[in-house]
Amino acid sequence: MSDHINELFDKDGNLIGALLTAAAWTEVRDQVMAALGIRETPAVQEKPEPTADWEMLTQYWDFPYPVDMDVTCEHCGSRTENWSEDDPRLFRLTSANLAGLVAFKCMSCQAKVVKKHFKDEIVTECTPYLEEKLTSKEGRY
């Protein structure tokens, strides 16, 4: 057929596929992906958990209540009494700071769970994961 395309047939002579050279694939890849309705999602490598930030928060803990380790996802119902001891993790620590703001990602539904530690109370917010992001809320640098 071509130096760039090799058609593949089964034992009965039915066409079952085709092999493309790298050069041919590079030329037609975007059109093939669009024609098949395949949206490529970039592989996102997760940053390591900021455990040093969590340790610093607990080291300087000055709230009148003990360090709380429980996390609950309001969207899927996932719950743990101690997020740091779960194996595998039910919630992944994504940020922590000395002001008492701690955020987790629910490993079941990808929701964001934020715990705000105030002087007299802890306020928890749970935001569902959105596959399609709102472009008006994207940071531009």
Side-chain angles (χ1 to χ4, degrees):
M1 169 164 248
S2 164
D3 291 341
H4 294 287
I5 302 171
N6 288 317
E7 294 181 334
L8 305 173
F9 300 89
D10 67 8
K11 65 180 178 152
D12 299 320
N14 299 314
L15 180 65
I16 59 170
L19 288 176
L20 301 175
T21 63
W25 180 244
T26 302
E27 285 293 320
V28 300
R29 183 180 190 283
D30 292 339
Q31 293 97 344
V32 170
M33 299 292 263
L36 297 176
I38 299 171
R39 289 186 40 205
E40 191 171 349
T41 55
V44 177
Q45 277 195 326
E46 295 208 49
K47 296 177 186 176
E49 287 183 298
T51 52
D53 295 342
W54 171 257
E55 292 300 322
M56 184 178 292
L57 172 61
T58 58
Q59 183 180 12
Y60 291 98
W61 193 267
D62 62 350
F63 299 108
Y65 45 84
V67 175
D68 66 313
M69 302 296 283
D70 64 308
V71 183
T72 303
C73 178
E74 297 170 1
H75 293 284
C76 71
S78 226
R79 177 173 171 70
T80 183
E81 292 300 317
N82 188 336
W83 64 269
S84 67
E85 293 180 353
D86 293 336
D87 189 26
R89 286 261 204 259
L90 299 178
F91 295 91
R92 190 172 183 288
L93 179 68
T94 57
S95 67
N97 65 36
L98 281 175
L101 184 64
V102 182
F104 299 91
K105 178 171 90 172
C106 176
M107 300 309 290
S108 297
C109 69
Q110 309 302 309
K112 182 177 184 176
V113 179
V114 177
K115 296 181 89 171
K116 299 175 181 179
H117 296 86
F118 293 107
K119 180 181 175 185
D120 298 326
E121 66 178 340
I122 301 171
V123 176
T124 303
E125 296 174 356
C126 192
T127 308
Y129 176 76
L130 298 175
E131 185 69 38
E132 296 293 324
K133 303 299 181 197
L134 300 175
T135 56
S136 64
K137 293 186 177 183
E138 287 182 0
R140 305 230 185 248
Y141 303 97

